[in-house]
Amino acid sequence: MKLPIYLDNAATTPVLPEVVEAMLPYFTELYGNSATLYSVGVAARDGVDTARETVAETMNATPDEIVFTSGGTESDNAAIWGIMQANKHRGRHMLTTPVEHHAVLEPMETLAENGFEMNFIPVDSEGRVDPDELAKCIRPDTVLVSVMHANNEIGTINPIAAIGALCRERGVYFHTDAVQTFGKVPIDVRAMKIDLLSLSAHKLHGPKGIGALFVRRGIPVIRFQEGGEQEKGRRGGTLNVPGIVGLGKAAEVVRHYMAEDTERLTFLRERLIAGLQTHLVGVRINGSRTHRLSFNVHLCIEGVDGEPILLGLDDAGICASAGSACSSGSVEPSHVLKAIGLDRETARGALRLTLGHETDAEAIDYTIKTLCGVVAGLRDLVRA
Ligand code: PLP
């Protein structure tokens, strides 16, 4: 078995060899600025155009609706600032959930300190939005609703099509952070009535530092970045051509194995959950059991802290992620775990294991055995 076993695919994913191969010529031979007219520039522009078409196709958008950005964080920021600033005359109210990524929460909080208003749509104990609850939160001055497609910590998938339909009916713009789902879960921006969608290449085996924002044609947003006419004037700055080509290639490759991977990873996810529940006492699975990312396992293990578990796993060659961070001597649950109602004691032993394209059954069985050993060792220490 090849070590390390990488079970942190929600944090980032390895770049596929075919993606690296597609990018390489754009560093060395086709290095032109894509805004120029001579042939190395034109070749770079062709690479960008192809990537734009692939990204658009993957979500049933048109190429002119795709704006390339530096990643998920910029896309989320640009969507929120862009819509709220461009639509001030219509209203200043925006809605989101308490389990969003900080890339959504922080720009909203900053806007709220500067004359806008932000409210939370409640989520249930699985971190899921009920469209009926959202309907109650929409006001005449609501301009934007931002609800993530799937949660990056606990893997819960939201009913995006129902939320989109409701927002369209009520005349409110709908943004979704699809950083954890683009290339993993089928997305159709038309059928799901999405107005703005954020994605990031490094979550789908593409390079880091490149992403995109889908902006439905005709939606008024302010410019993301000033100082150039690139991206039809929406985002100034020389394009990151190799990154964009890498994103396009990654989207092309992953959408071919999306269905197969979903089925395989769902099977492995359930094997991991069942194995841990059989061999460990005091295991609680967080998030939805039915509306869940195929690659996400998020659990709390009673009586132990997440960080020493991570260190124990790392010693055995397994990469994972904790759900609570140690700050000033006490363990602080993430905002997501707090929002789904976990108390500090339960959230201490939070652990996220996220599977990927390379994960196989052998890796899962090794993880079950290793994690049980690490937890037993830590529990012995506590008792001693
Ligand atoms: N949104 C979600 C749901 C994420 O999981 C992440 C990254 O972890 C981001 C936004 C930020 O994306 P990026 O790392 O590309 O800035």
Side-chain angles (χ1 to χ4, degrees):
M1 191 177 44
K2 205 173 127 238
L3 292 177
I5 289 169
Y6 184 72
L7 294 179
D8 203 12
N9 285 276
T12 197
T13 55
V15 182
L16 291 168
E18 51 268 58
V19 171
V20 176
E21 204 182 312
M23 292 171 70
L24 282 176
Y26 293 89
F27 289 105
T28 50
E29 294 142 46
L30 310 173
Y31 48 79
N33 185 322
S34 60
T36 56
L37 294 178
Y38 41 79
S39 48
V40 274
V42 172
R45 187 154 65 251
D46 287 347
V48 169
D49 289 347
T50 305
R52 201 185 298 280
E53 278 162 28
T54 311
V55 170
E57 239 172 58
T58 310
M59 59 171 105
N60 193 24
T62 54
D64 58 304
E65 293 174 312
I66 304 299
V67 184
F68 290 115
T69 65
S70 63
T73 303
E74 182 188 330
S75 297
D76 285 344
N77 273 254
I80 289 155
W81 282 96
I83 279 285
M84 294 314 292
Q85 297 287 2
N87 292 280
K88 278 194 261 206
H89 57 285
R90 284 188 45 189
R92 289 173 169 257
H93 183 234
M94 56 205 161
L95 289 165
T96 191
T97 78
V99 296
E100 296 298 310
H101 193 274
H102 288 292
V104 165
L105 294 175
E106 289 181 17
M108 283 208 181
E109 283 158 10
T110 304
L111 282 166
E113 286 161 13
N114 290 281
F116 291 83
E117 198 186 338
M118 161 194 191
N119 285 126
F120 284 129
I121 311 153
V123 292
D124 64 16
S125 59
E126 297 179 343
R128 207 159 186 260
V129 169
D130 173 352
D132 291 338
E133 290 298 319
L134 166 60
K136 291 184 209 156
C137 300
I138 297 176
R139 310 191 315 210
D141 62 338
T142 307
V143 170
L144 175 68
V145 167
S146 181
V147 175
M148 69 201 321
H149 192 182
N151 187 270
N152 47 304
E153 289 188 36
I154 55 174
T156 297
I157 301 177
N158 271 309
I160 287 302
I163 295 171
L166 172 67
C167 290
R168 192 66 58 87
E169 186 193 308
R170 301 282 290 271
V172 177
Y173 294 123
F174 174 43
H175 166 249
T176 190
D177 176 338
V179 168
Q180 291 292 337
T181 54
F182 182 78
K184 316 255 174 85
V185 176
I187 295 176
D188 181 328
V189 289
R190 304 270 169 249
M192 293 169 154
K193 299 197 167 35
I194 296 166
D195 295 313
L196 302 122
L197 176 143
S198 304
L199 65 97
S200 178
H202 74 101
K203 309 286 185 180
L204 54 132
H205 302 282
K208 294 169 184 60
I210 184 77
L213 181 68
F214 156 77
V215 184
R216 187 161 70 88
R217 195 180 296 161
I219 300 278
V221 284
I222 58 151
R223 309 172 76 168
F224 306 13
Q225 199 161 271
E226 290 178 304
E229 287 310 308
Q230 289 88 350
E231 298 296 85
K232 295 197 160 60
R234 291 171 294 192
R235 183 185 188 268
T238 304
L239 297 191
N240 169 4
V241 178
I244 291 169
V245 169
L247 165 57
K249 187 68 187 179
E252 180 199 315
V253 176
V254 299
R255 74 180 187 204
H256 283 300
Y257 60 62
M258 193 192 297
E260 196 189 313
D261 252 22
T262 302
E263 200 184 317
R264 198 178 60 81
L265 294 178
T266 304
F267 173 78
L268 292 177
R269 177 192 76 192
E270 292 308 308
R271 184 179 177 124
L272 178 54
I273 292 176
L276 294 175
Q277 285 183 324
T278 309
H279 299 292
L280 268 182
V281 283
V283 171
R284 175 204 149 104
I285 304 299
N286 302 310
S288 172
R289 292 305 309 270
T290 44
H291 306 287
R292 185 181 201 98
L293 288 173
S294 59
F295 58 92
N296 175 294
V297 174
H298 193 287
L299 59 151
C300 287
I301 307 174
E302 216 175 271
V304 283
D305 286 344
E307 284 188 9
I309 300 179
L310 286 191
L311 297 177
L313 290 178
D314 187 37
D315 279 347
I318 300 171
C319 310
S321 167
S324 302
C326 195
S327 67
S328 6
S330 75
V331 180
E332 191 55 35
S334 74
H335 67 289
V336 175
L337 299 186
K338 281 186 194 157
I340 61 168
L342 293 199
D343 60 47
R344 195 179 285 260
E345 187 52 32
T346 311
R348 271 176 56 198
L351 187 69
R352 182 185 71 181
L353 302 160
T354 42
L355 287 50
H357 189 57
E358 281 148 24
T359 313
D360 58 16
E362 198 187 1
I364 292 299
D365 294 344
Y366 174 74
T367 303
I368 297 169
K369 198 167 130 243
T370 308
L371 184 54
C372 291
V374 169
V375 171
L378 290 170
R379 283 179 173 161
D380 282 348
L381 273 180
V382 175
R383 273 193 291 265

